[in-house]
């Protein structure tokens, strides 16, 4: 029941109405009985600081942050996590005592989703990241923090590949598709195979190059089965789509806001229904 005590959480972005976050987080609040609701708030480009100010003045529970505010929001927060600072990107704003803090939960969400869905521990793995955008940088960093042995970044723009590989420090390097043959885990972070992006039938790499025990992770979740994942399934490779990362990055945010464990199954059901 919504009462005078109910706290507010919201996602800010432009555009933002299409976001799955309200479905996921309202399901989580419902499942745990945590007294909060979650909405979507369109915030014009350049206005992230006003949203942080509103959270501070009106004691909102927290915010998710999407494009185009992920970098701007950091300057408006009192505390920026080392991950968000390194990525120059924040997707979650929350109270840390009397301070407002920003974090980037995508990478941690990926690693938790890999462990939860496929029972794959990133520690010791030789990883290849195909693509080098914002999502790739977050995941590269998290893989290394989770103990990956190596993260090789393969991308058409080599400068961006180098920037992403730098997040893995001495365990990162720029590579090519020849690195696929040795990989334990290969991740697609390009939009190739995504619905509505004009690349629906494209595959980012040839799964025939992979070992039989390699794991394939596609960050795309719409469609649920991209041509890459279909090819991985046909070869009998373990694989996952981007839903796990979507749900677990939200789980990390929920835990920042509430201090309680996220109800993963309720969040998974909500996103499956919303898709
Ligand atoms: P981004 O910053 O725009 O980066 C896109 C990357 O894909 C770049 O490295 C780009 O290469 C590469 N790329 C784009 N078009 C390509 C093409 N035609 N051929 C080869 N490479 C191409 O995007 P992002 O924010 O990192 O997102 C990447 C993907 O991750 C998207 O599919 C997005 O939906 C997904 N994602 C999923 C989640 C989740 O929770 N599951 C979260 C975030 C993102 P260049 O550098 O050479 O341009």
């Amino acid at each position: 029941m919504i009462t005078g005590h109910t706290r507010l959480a919201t996602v800010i972005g432009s555009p933002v109405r299409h976001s799955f976050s309200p479905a996921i987080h309202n399901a989580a609040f419902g499942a745990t009985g945590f007294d909060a609701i979650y909405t979507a708030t369109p915030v014009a480009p350049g206005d992230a600081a006003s949203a942080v100010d509103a959270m501070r003045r009106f004691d909102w529970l927290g915010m998710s942050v999407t494009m185009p505010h992920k970098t701007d929001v950091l300057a408006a927060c009192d505390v920026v996590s080392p991950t968000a600072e390194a990525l120059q990107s924040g997707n979650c704003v929350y109270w840390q005592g009397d301070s407002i803090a920003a974090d980037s939960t995508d990478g941690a969400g990926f690693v938790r989703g890999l462990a939860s869905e496929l029972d794959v521990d990133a520690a010791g793995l030789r990883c290849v990241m195909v693509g080098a955008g914002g999502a790739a940088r977050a995941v590269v960093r998290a893989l290394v923090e989770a103990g990956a042995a190596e993260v090789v970044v393969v991308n058409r723009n080599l400068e961006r590949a180098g920037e992403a590989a730098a997040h893995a420090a001495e365990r990162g390097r720029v590579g090519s598709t020849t690195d696929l043959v040795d990989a334990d885990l290969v991740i697609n972070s390009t939009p190739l195979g995504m619905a509505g992006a004009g690349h629906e039938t494209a595959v980012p790499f040839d799964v025939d190059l992979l070992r039989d025990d390699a794991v394939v992770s596609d960050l795309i979740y719409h469609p649920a089965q991209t041509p890459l994942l279909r090819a991985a399934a046909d070869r009998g490779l373990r694989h996952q789509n981007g839903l796990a990362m979507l749900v677990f990055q939200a789980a990390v945010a929920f835990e920042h806001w509430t201090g309680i464990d996220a109800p993963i199954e309720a969040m998974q059901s909500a996103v499956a229904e919303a898709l």
Side-chain angles (χ1 to χ4, degrees):
M1 190 174 60
I2 297 170
T3 69
H5 296 283
T6 303
R7 304 283 304 279
L8 177 71
T10 194
V11 52
I12 62 165
S14 179
V16 76
R17 295 288 187 205
H18 63 288
S19 172
F20 291 121
S21 294
I24 299 174
H25 286 296
N26 283 314
F29 291 141
T32 55
F34 193 91
D35 191 8
I37 57 161
Y38 188 105
T39 65
T41 306
V43 170
D47 245 359
S50 309
V52 175
D53 191 43
M55 174 169 156
R56 196 188 302 276
R57 283 164 179 257
F58 306 127
D59 195 28
W60 293 349
L61 178 68
M63 299 193 299
S64 305
V65 181
T66 188
M67 299 296 286
H69 303 304
K70 288 186 167 190
T71 301
D72 287 1
V73 78
L74 301 182
C77 294
D78 308 316
V79 181
V80 175
S81 74
T83 303
E85 180 68 36
L87 296 168
Q88 277 301 292
S89 176
N91 70 342
C92 173
V93 176
Y94 61 105
W95 287 101
Q96 209 173 62
D98 292 335
S99 300
I100 291 192
D103 191 18
S104 172
T105 68
D106 277 339
F110 176 83
V111 168
R112 271 176 68 173
L114 189 68
S116 169
E117 192 172 57
L118 297 181
D119 199 20
V120 171
D121 181 350
L125 298 187
R126 283 172 296 175
C127 309
V128 174
M129 170 62 72
V130 179
R137 290 194 292 273
V139 172
V140 165
R141 196 173 178 82
L143 285 169
V144 165
E145 280 173 2
E150 176 182 58
V151 187
V152 179
V153 180
V154 178
N155 190 52
R156 61 182 181 184
N157 179 312
L158 294 179
E159 197 182 330
R160 265 197 288 278
E163 286 164 11
H167 283 279
E170 70 282 358
R171 279 178 274 164
R173 66 177 169 85
V174 176
S176 69
T177 47
T178 55
D179 289 294
L180 291 168
V181 295
D182 296 322
D184 300 310
L185 169 67
V186 187
I187 302 151
N188 172 45
S189 68
T190 77
L192 299 180
M194 186 159 77
H199 311 295
E200 286 81 353
T201 57
V203 285
F205 57 87
D206 181 0
V207 294
D208 287 339
L209 295 170
L210 304 181
R211 292 197 324 256
D212 289 344
D213 61 347
V215 174
V216 177
S217 181
D218 198 333
L219 300 193
I220 295 168
Y221 49 81
H222 186 53
Q225 193 182 50
T226 57
L228 172 69
L229 293 183
R230 197 167 316 123
D234 288 348
R235 254 206 70 188
L237 301 178
R238 281 186 296 165
H239 60 279
Q240 67 171 172
N241 65 21
L243 276 180
M245 176 172 167
L246 180 70
V247 167
F248 280 92
Q249 62 76 28
V252 178
F254 180 90
E255 290 164 6
H256 279 323
W257 297 327
T258 66
I260 57 178
D261 288 346
I264 301 301
E265 279 177 24
M267 296 168 93
Q268 283 168 330
S269 304
V271 78
E273 211 171 294
L275 266 170

